[in-house]
Amino acid sequence: MSISSEHKPLRKQVTGSLHMLPPVVELNVGGEMYTTTLSTLKKHPGSKLAEMFTGQHKLRTDSKGRIFIDRPGTYFKYILEYLRSNQVPTQCIQDVYKEALFYDIEPLIKQLEESPQIFGEHVARKQFLARVPNYSENIELMIRIARAEAVASRYSKVIICVVRTEEDAARCQDALNSLDMDKKSVVKFGPWKAAPDIYDLLDCIEMDVKDRGYKISLRAHVAEKGFRFKPQDFFHIIQFTWW
């Protein structure tokens, strides 16, 4: 028995070809509706966005026949404004940058990377963190320790040792060896060869953990007997609050 067209799925895939796409295109980007021209979408031929409308890719449509793109629609208006007028957005820079990367619009990517927000994050800060050995791995380790200690507890604490130089690393290790640290897991960051100091790295640690949705506070480790130098120079406590 044949099925009438009115019973077919509302969302479908269509193979776009140039003669099928009208000069004016209606888009549904993550639930946000836009109307623009085909020439605007294809303004930068090497971009992923332009490639989508060359007729070589399957395009999805919504129930109204609008081309559907499964990306955050809120920020597409900034992408569209750039394509229309070469206006670089000044709002939601980080989010627009992610979308520019997805659509591979190289001129916009380069201009956004010159903005203070992107330059600071992707050039200055990330280049610094790339010089801190095992930074990302230590963040993961710290979170795993905190989660393991969170059973039936409101808080969990992780001790970290942050050392900038090889000499400081040796002093930190001497302190750990001289104390009963069997029941304490200490995560070590550093040493590194770059201008930022210990407190700059602590800011990075706090920022990156909070960005992952954790509620934390950071304080210097209180002095204990057996330390031959001020522990707050290297040792810090990160407290996770779970509820």
Side-chain angles (χ1 to χ4, degrees), residues 29 36 64-65 139 152 156 173:
V29 185
T36 188
K64 302 296 184 181
I139 292 289
S156 54
Q173 190 60 49

Side-chain angles (χ1 to χ4, degrees), residues 41-86:
L41 297 170
K42 297 173 60 182
K43 183 175 182 179
H44 297 284
S47 69
K48 181 178 178 179
L49 183 63
E51 288 294 319
M52 292 170 61
F53 295 92
T54 60
Q56 305 301 314
H57 301 273
K58 289 184 178 181
L59 300 174
R60 286 186 291 177
T61 59
D62 66 9
S63 60
K64 302 296 184 181
R66 294 170 294 219
I67 295 172
F68 179 77
I69 302 176
D70 194 13
R71 295 294 295 180
T74 303
Y75 311 114
F76 189 75
K77 64 181 178 182
Y78 301 107
I79 300 293
L80 203 53
E81 186 60 33
Y82 176 77
L83 295 174
R84 287 168 172 164
S85 62
N86 290 324

Side-chain angles (χ1 to χ4, degrees), residues 31-224:
E32 300 282 341
M33 311 306 164
Y34 295 94
T35 302
T36 188
T37 65
L38 187 61
S39 59
T40 296
L41 297 170
K42 297 173 60 182
K43 183 175 182 179
H44 297 284
S47 69
K48 181 178 178 179
L49 183 63
E51 288 294 319
M52 292 170 61
F53 295 92
T54 60
Q56 305 301 314
H57 301 273
K58 289 184 178 181
L59 300 174
R60 286 186 291 177
T61 59
D62 66 9
S63 60
K64 302 296 184 181
R66 294 170 294 219
I67 295 172
F68 179 77
I69 302 176
D70 194 13
R71 295 294 295 180
T74 303
Y75 311 114
F76 189 75
K77 64 181 178 182
Y78 301 107
I79 300 293
L80 203 53
E81 186 60 33
Y82 176 77
L83 295 174
R84 287 168 172 164
S85 62
N86 290 324
Q87 180 176 331
V88 179
T90 57
Q91 299 176 331
C92 308
I93 300 297
Q94 296 282 356
D95 294 302
V96 176
Y97 181 68
K98 292 177 183 177
E99 296 308 296
L101 289 173
F102 173 80
Y103 294 114
D104 195 21
I105 305 173
E106 192 64 30
L108 177 57
I109 292 171
K110 289 182 177 179
Q111 290 184 69
L112 288 173
E113 286 178 346
E114 293 299 319
S115 68
Q117 299 95 320
I118 303 300
F119 180 85
E121 171 66 20
H122 292 270
V123 179
R125 194 174 89 93
K126 285 196 172 179
Q127 286 188 1
F128 160 54
L129 294 179
R131 300 185 182 188
V132 180
N134 303 315
Y135 176 80
S136 297
E137 293 83 351
N138 285 336
I139 292 289
E140 295 290 341
L141 175 59
M142 188 174 64
I143 291 173
R144 286 201 304 270
I145 293 172
R147 291 173 69 94
E149 296 181 357
V151 179
S153 299
R154 184 173 185 180
Y155 308 101
S156 54
K157 300 176 182 178
V158 180
I159 299 176
I160 62 174
C161 178
V162 183
V163 292
R164 183 177 178 183
T165 67
E166 294 288 352
E167 181 182 358
D168 290 341
R171 295 174 67 193
C172 172
Q173 190 60 49
D174 287 344
L176 293 176
N177 292 338
S178 66
L179 295 174
D180 180 14
M181 303 295 287
D182 293 341
K183 296 181 181 180
K184 298 179 180 178
S185 298
V186 179
V187 181
K188 177 186 168 188
F189 289 86
W192 63 88
K193 294 181 180 179
D197 61 20
I198 287 175
Y199 294 98
D200 293 323
L201 184 63
L202 288 172
D203 285 342
C204 290
I205 294 170
E206 186 172 13
M207 182 188 311
D208 288 336
V209 176
K210 285 183 175 179
D211 280 350
R212 297 183 59 168
Y214 293 97
K215 184 178 180 181
I216 66 168
S217 59
L218 190 150
R219 67 178 185 272
H221 191 281
V222 177
E224 297 179 3

